[in-house]
Amino acid sequence: MANQPKKQRAGGAVETDSQVFLKTQDAGANTVETDATISRNDKFDPAEEYRMNGERRGLALVFNHERFFWRIAMPERRGTNADRDNLYRTLKDKGFDVSTFNNLKAEEVLQKIRDASEADHTDADCFVCVFLSHGEKDHIYAYDSKIEIQELTDMFRGDKCPSLVGKPKIFIIQACRGEKHDEPVLVADTVDSRIDTENEIQVDAAAFYTLPAGADFLMCYSVAEGFYSHRETVRGSWYIQDLCEVLRDYGSSLELLELLTLVNRKVSHRKVDVCNDLNAIGKKQVPCFASMLTKKLYLRPKSK
């Protein structure tokens, strides 16, 4: 019998693609979280914002890694303490409860993350976690070994951290994501960074692009996949310097994704001036972010 054409319902049909977008080792772990069912008749407000009127802004964890166990053969990250201090001041100013940790072992990092995921965030607006380290193929390095990034983000999925369901979960990763420098291209509005002979520029080892499952995550990376991330030995990394500056200047007025786009622009205007690696001179960097946020996010000051 010949195949009969399928009847199409009025208003069109819904089809699904057969290709899996995000593969996980455990296929069942890649689930979709929703806060509510939206019907076609519901009003959809494109200007809707996350509620940021909780009693607390939220917890911010900063994992700072300057030195590593000798067997890992990772170089010391000079300048990272400047990033840690800059982030502490900036996030504190935005109302976060900030905790910083230095050179923790992998199991210690995992325990801190586990404790945070099991904490009660009912009265908090959001959660922030920052890693300042080297990285490699979906992993970030602790003092003694590497940790899979998705193992960290998975602890904050709705089934494991119910008090953060529907709230922004922001991960900021300062690390390299490849083995290439971004080649400079001459444009009319290029701005070069000032030369400081005592402030050498170094690079962090490679990390890789990872997307967590679930809504309301925001992944912020210091550099696009496949490229080096630059760090000044005195003032800290380009990305954290510019991120903190933009947060201080515009964090109360710009929507967060607009703010991150401005950070991208500021970092892209920099170039390497002083470096032991002569091949790095003149090279550039462009950060990136992957947003699973479902509403606009503002970090306006809390009313006292």
Side-chain angles (χ1 to χ4, degrees), residues 1-18:
M1 182 176 179
N3 292 334
Q4 297 295 323
K6 295 181 179 179
K7 294 182 179 180
Q8 186 173 1
R9 295 181 181 179
V14 176
E15 298 179 352
T16 58
D17 294 329
S18 59

Side-chain angles (χ1 to χ4, degrees), residues 4-5 11 36 38 45 49 63 103 120 129 135 156 167 189 193 197 205 209 219 233 276 302:
Q4 297 295 323
I38 300 177
D45 182 6
E49 301 178 14
F63 294 93
N103 304 315
D120 185 3
C129 187
F156 295 92
K167 299 179 180 182
D189 61 348
S193 57
T197 56
Y209 189 77
M219 304 297 292
T233 57
N276 285 336
K302 285 187 171 294

Side-chain angles (χ1 to χ4, degrees), residues 136-150:
E136 178 183 281
K137 292 185 179 179
D138 297 326
H139 294 74
I140 199 81
Y141 273 94
Y143 172 76
D144 59 341
S145 63
K146 58 188 179 182
I147 304 170
E148 188 175 6
I149 295 173
Q150 191 140 3

